[in-house]
Amino acid sequence: MNIVVLAGGLSTERDVSFVTGKNVSDALRRKNHNVILLDVFMGYGDEPEDLTGIFDRCEEASASVTGISAETPDLEAVKKSRKDQSSCFFGPNVIELCRMADMVFMALHGENGEDGRIQAAFDLYGIKYTGTGYLSSALAMDKELSKRMFLTNHIPTPAGISMSKDNCLSDFSKTGLKLPCVVKPCCGGSSIGVSIVRTEEDYQKALDDAFRWEEKIIIEDYIKGREFSVGVIDFQALPVIEIAPLEGFYDYKNKYAAGSAVETCPAELPSHITKAMQGYAEQVARVLNLETYARMDFLLDEQENIYCLEANTLPGMTSVSLLPQEALAVGMDFESLCERIIQISMKKYE
């Protein structure tokens, strides 16, 4: 197959997306596919050009990848570096290349990639892509909306509130919550802008940090406990994986720096807890209609209460990512996982 692996973009998770894209591209090439790794924002070339035969020179046409920086990317610098300085999000020749492909493997994370906007555009262009559709992407990306759907469907989730920058409660006592609490952007990923607030003095700093990234934020109860994740492929749960950061919580650094967390799969849990957590993961997938694959994040407190935090519709596929580890626990290596995602995605277009 001729495949475009779409990565990059203008998300705070731009670097992570490139590493996901590189891993997926390499895996699919080992499966004998013709694969172009494409930066959705930078595109290919500087202006429209003849793309005849481009999949015969796919490695030459692919974007180069350096790795994940310890700091979030400077998106303003990325914007300024694009030669055509167009206001269009899609870079030169991106739509044309995606239309030429048999399938676009979505390796994007965060804004635009996971919020359904690109999926909606591709639906209008008749472009085939991996993963779930635009509506379920948008619902999962917006933590306020997804938490409402969790509660409506009896999926346990931490209690909390949302607030906008224009209607911010700077006085913590007016939130109706208790300390400690968690402050985070409503639609962000990779734990960017997330703070655990233990004192009222820390609250304002946490607000400033979260509002730096978005206009709407979530404040919710802090749940002290163990961290887990459950991948779901075609509405079937994979084994539970436990994440135990060596320091702090599972933030941006601990997610992508090798050796920063101990990950155990299958997680060492009583069977009834494992089954319950997997059941909630499958229920989230059904409630949000998460086609193809997704990954749900959970906390387990000291009283063995389970809390679902969020759903990730395009989970990471880096060397330290969780979903590939879960798939491997049931005998599915990385190449087979990528191939399986394409096969399931193709069903949408039959």
Side-chain angles (χ1 to χ4, degrees), residues 36-326:
I36 294 174
L37 175 59
L38 184 64
D39 184 341
V40 65
F41 181 72
M42 289 298 186
Y44 173 76
D46 301 330
E47 57 187 33
E49 57 181 83
D50 183 4
L51 302 174
T52 303
I54 194 165
F55 282 97
D56 295 328
R57 45 191 173 89
C58 50
E59 292 196 46
E60 172 194 327
S62 291
S64 58
V65 175
T66 54
I68 301 174
S69 169
E71 303 296 328
T72 52
D74 184 343
L75 298 179
E76 289 304 314
V78 173
K79 291 177 185 177
K80 290 176 182 177
S81 68
R82 183 163 134 178
K83 290 184 179 179
D84 69 355
Q85 288 296 291
S86 169
S87 60
C88 180
F89 173 77
F90 294 107
N93 300 298
V94 167
I95 295 298
E96 291 77 10
L97 278 167
C98 290
R99 294 187 74 183
M100 291 170 65
D102 299 310
M103 176 63 70
V104 175
F105 195 111
M106 299 289 278
L108 294 158
H109 302 312
E111 186 178 359
N112 295 310
E114 276 188 281
D115 60 14
R117 285 189 258 185
I118 289 177
Q119 288 84 347
F122 281 3
D123 286 344
L124 295 176
Y125 276 112
I127 294 170
K128 298 176 183 177
Y129 57 88
T130 58
T132 197
Y134 73 92
L135 181 57
S136 48
S137 296
L139 288 172
M141 188 72 173
D142 189 313
K143 294 181 181 67
E144 180 188 15
L145 292 177
S146 57
K147 282 171 76 71
R148 286 184 186 180
M149 296 189 73
F150 293 170
L151 292 170
T152 300
N153 290 275
H154 310 292
I155 299 166
T157 189
I161 62 172
S162 63
M163 69 172 68
S164 65
K165 199 170 189 177
D166 295 335
N167 192 26
C168 175
L169 297 175
S170 56
D171 182 350
F172 182 77
S173 65
K174 295 181 179 179
T175 65
L177 299 173
K178 293 184 293 186
L179 293 172
C181 69
V182 177
V183 176
K184 59 187 178 184
C186 188
C187 299
S190 288
S191 299
I192 295 170
V194 176
S195 302
I196 298 175
V197 177
R198 302 185 186 278
T199 68
E200 291 193 19
E201 289 72 24
D202 292 336
Y203 175 63
Q204 188 59 55
K205 181 178 181 299
L207 290 181
D208 292 341
D209 193 26
F211 280 130
R212 174 187 168 198
W213 304 105
E214 290 181 28
E215 297 293 312
K216 190 166 71 170
I217 66 171
I218 296 282
I219 305 174
E220 62 186 16
D221 288 346
Y222 170 71
I223 307 298
K224 182 181 179 181
R226 297 160 67 187
E227 300 181 53
F228 300 88
S229 196
V230 183
V232 174
I233 297 179
D234 207 11
F235 299 99
Q236 298 294 311
L238 292 169
V240 179
I241 187 169
E242 179 172 8
I243 310 102
L246 299 181
E247 294 181 5
F249 68 103
Y250 199 44
D251 59 6
Y252 186 84
K253 173 182 174 293
N254 286 330
K255 283 182 176 176
Y256 303 115
S260 295
V262 176
E263 292 154 358
T264 305
C265 187
E268 297 174 358
L269 286 169
S271 60
H272 71 281
I273 296 293
T274 295
K275 290 178 182 177
M277 201 174 288
Q278 289 176 312
Y280 283 132
E282 292 176 355
Q283 189 180 356
V284 169
R286 291 193 300 270
V287 165
L288 299 180
N289 192 32
L290 303 179
E291 301 171 299
T292 311
Y293 71 123
R295 197 197 75 230
M296 294 13 131
D297 296 335
F298 293 90
L299 287 171
L300 181 72
D301 71 12
E302 294 169 339
Q303 288 74 46
E304 294 192 340
N305 296 306
I306 299 170
Y307 298 88
C308 184
L309 299 178
E310 62 182 78
N312 303 273
T313 57
L314 292 175
M317 300 279 274
T318 72
S319 59
V320 295
S321 292
L322 305 178
L323 185 76
Q325 294 184 61
E326 295 177 62

Side-chain angles (χ1 to χ4, degrees), residues 324-337:
Q325 294 184 61
E326 295 177 62
L328 189 60
V330 292
M332 189 184 303
D333 63 23
F334 191 77
E335 290 84 356
S336 299
L337 173 60

